Amino acid sequence: MENQTNIHQHDHQFSDAERQAVYKSIYSRRDVRGQFKPDPIPDEVLARILQAAHHAPSVGFMQPWNFLLIKSQQVKQQVHDLFKKANHEAGEMFEQETQRQIYSTLKLEGILESPINLVVTCDRERAGPVVIGRTHDMAMDVYSSVCAVQNLWLAARAEGLGVGWVSIFDRLELKKLLQLPTQVTPVAYLCIGYVEHFFVEPELKTAGWLDRLPLQDLVFFDQWENSHAEHEEKLVKYLSQAAY
C-alpha cells in the first residue's frame, strides 16, 4: 500500500524541468507596451493561448468569459482614441508634480502596434441568477474572468508572446464602441504580439514609479497584521529570499 501511495503522489508531481518552466513563465512575464513587432501570430499559437484561458478556474463552473479578437486597424484606432482621452484625464489626477512628469513619459499601451487586440469579457448572466459560489459575492464571476486573463498571459509568455493590459478607458464608452450586450462587461483589454525583447524588471519599477514590496511584509497569520506566528520562522525566512 505504501508503494502504491508513493507512486500515486509521484504521478501528480511535475518534473524539475516542468516546474522550473512554470515559474519561469510567472517571473519573466511582463506588461508589454512598446516592444511589439508586426509579425502575425500563427493561428495554432493563438488557439493554444485561448484554450489556456478557457481552462481557467471559474466559480460554479460558470465560465463567464468571451474573447473578442480585434485585428481591424480602424477599430484599433477608435479604441486608441478612447485611450488618449482617458489617459489625458488620468494624468491630471496625480497630485505630485513629479508623478505627473513621470506619467507623461510612460507608454501605457500598444493598441496600434500589436497585431492582435483581445478583449476578455464577463457575461454577468451566463449561468443564471443563482450560481454555486456566487450566492454571497456577486463579483465572483468577474474574478473568474480575471483568472482567464492570467492563464492566457502565462501561456502567451511561454509561447514567446508579449501581452499588455490596457485599463485606461471609460468603460461605458468602450462597451458602446464594441457593441457589447447589456449584461456583458469588459474585464481586460489586451494587446498581444511577438516582441523585440522582454524587460528584466517591470517598466514601472525601472521608471522609478514604485518598487516591488517585500513579500515577508505582506504575509500575516490568523489575524490581520499579525506577522508573527509560532513555528513559522523558517517560512518567514524563505519568504525573504529572492524569487526564481
Side-chain angles (χ1 to χ4, degrees):
M1 178 64 69
E2 182 178 353
N3 289 337
Q4 291 179 349
T5 300
N6 288 338
I7 292 174
H8 180 71
Q9 291 175 344
H10 178 73
D11 287 344
H12 288 83
Q13 294 177 353
F14 284 14
S15 68
D16 288 345
E18 290 169 335
R19 184 169 60 252
Q20 289 173 8
V22 172
Y23 284 117
K24 182 177 181 179
S25 184
I26 292 171
Y27 293 128
S28 64
R29 180 212 57 79
R30 292 290 176 264
D31 195 350
V32 176
R33 289 81 175 263
Q35 308 99 262
F36 285 111
K37 297 163 65 176
D39 306 37
I41 302 173
D43 288 341
E44 62 270 23
V45 175
L46 183 58
R48 283 200 295 267
I49 66 174
L50 289 173
Q51 284 283 7
H54 186 47
H55 281 74
S58 64
V59 171
F61 201 45
M62 67 183 303
Q63 306 161 76
W65 43 70
N66 280 85
F67 305 100
L68 174 57
L69 294 165
I70 300 175
K71 297 183 179 181
S72 163
Q73 283 300 122
Q74 180 181 359
V75 177
K76 289 180 184 179
Q77 185 62 61
Q78 292 174 317
V79 173
H80 190 261
D81 290 342
L82 292 183
F83 165 81
K84 286 195 299 183
K85 176 184 176 183
N87 192 49
H88 176 74
E89 296 169 350
E92 300 298 317
M93 295 179 183
F94 297 99
E95 295 182 359
Q96 298 180 13
E97 178 62 25
T98 55
Q99 286 186 315
R100 290 196 296 271
Q101 289 178 351
I102 294 175
Y103 188 91
S104 67
T105 66
L106 297 174
K107 181 172 175 56
L108 299 176
E109 49 76 36
I111 296 169
L112 300 177
E113 299 91 339
S114 58
I116 290 180
N117 292 186
L118 171 66
V119 188
V120 181
T121 63
C122 177
D123 187 337
R124 308 303 306 271
E125 299 178 1
R126 175 64 53 82
V130 181
V131 179
I132 294 174
R134 197 183 63 164
T135 53
H136 290 72
D137 188 345
M138 295 300 291
M140 294 307 297
D141 54 350
V142 177
Y143 300 156
S144 298
S145 298
V146 174
C147 289
V149 174
Q150 182 73 342
N151 265 25
L152 181 140
W153 211 331
L154 296 178
R157 181 62 188 90
E159 298 279 1
L161 291 169
V163 177
W165 187 332
V166 188
S167 59
I168 307 171
F169 296 113
D170 181 298
R171 186 177 60 84
L172 294 180
E173 289 186 8
L174 180 65
K175 182 172 178 174
K176 181 179 179 181
L177 172 62
L178 301 177
Q179 300 181 13
L180 302 184
T182 302
Q183 79 279 8
V184 173
T185 188
V187 172
Y189 193 99
L190 306 176
C191 304
I192 306 175
Y194 292 106
V195 299
E196 295 175 355
H197 62 275
F198 288 96
F199 287 107
V200 176
E201 296 284 356
E203 287 186 75
L204 291 183
K205 179 180 179 181
T206 304
W209 190 260
L210 287 171
D211 287 325
R212 189 177 300 279
L213 299 174
L215 176 58
Q216 65 269 26
D217 294 345
L218 306 177
V219 178
F220 305 143
F221 299 94
D222 296 325
Q223 291 183 320
W224 184 255
E225 291 190 344
N226 180 13
S227 57
H228 302 285
E230 190 177 2
H231 309 306
E232 295 293 352
E233 293 85 356
K234 184 178 293 186
L235 174 59
V236 172
K237 177 182 177 182
Y238 288 144
L239 292 175
S240 65
Q241 295 178 358
Y244 171 88

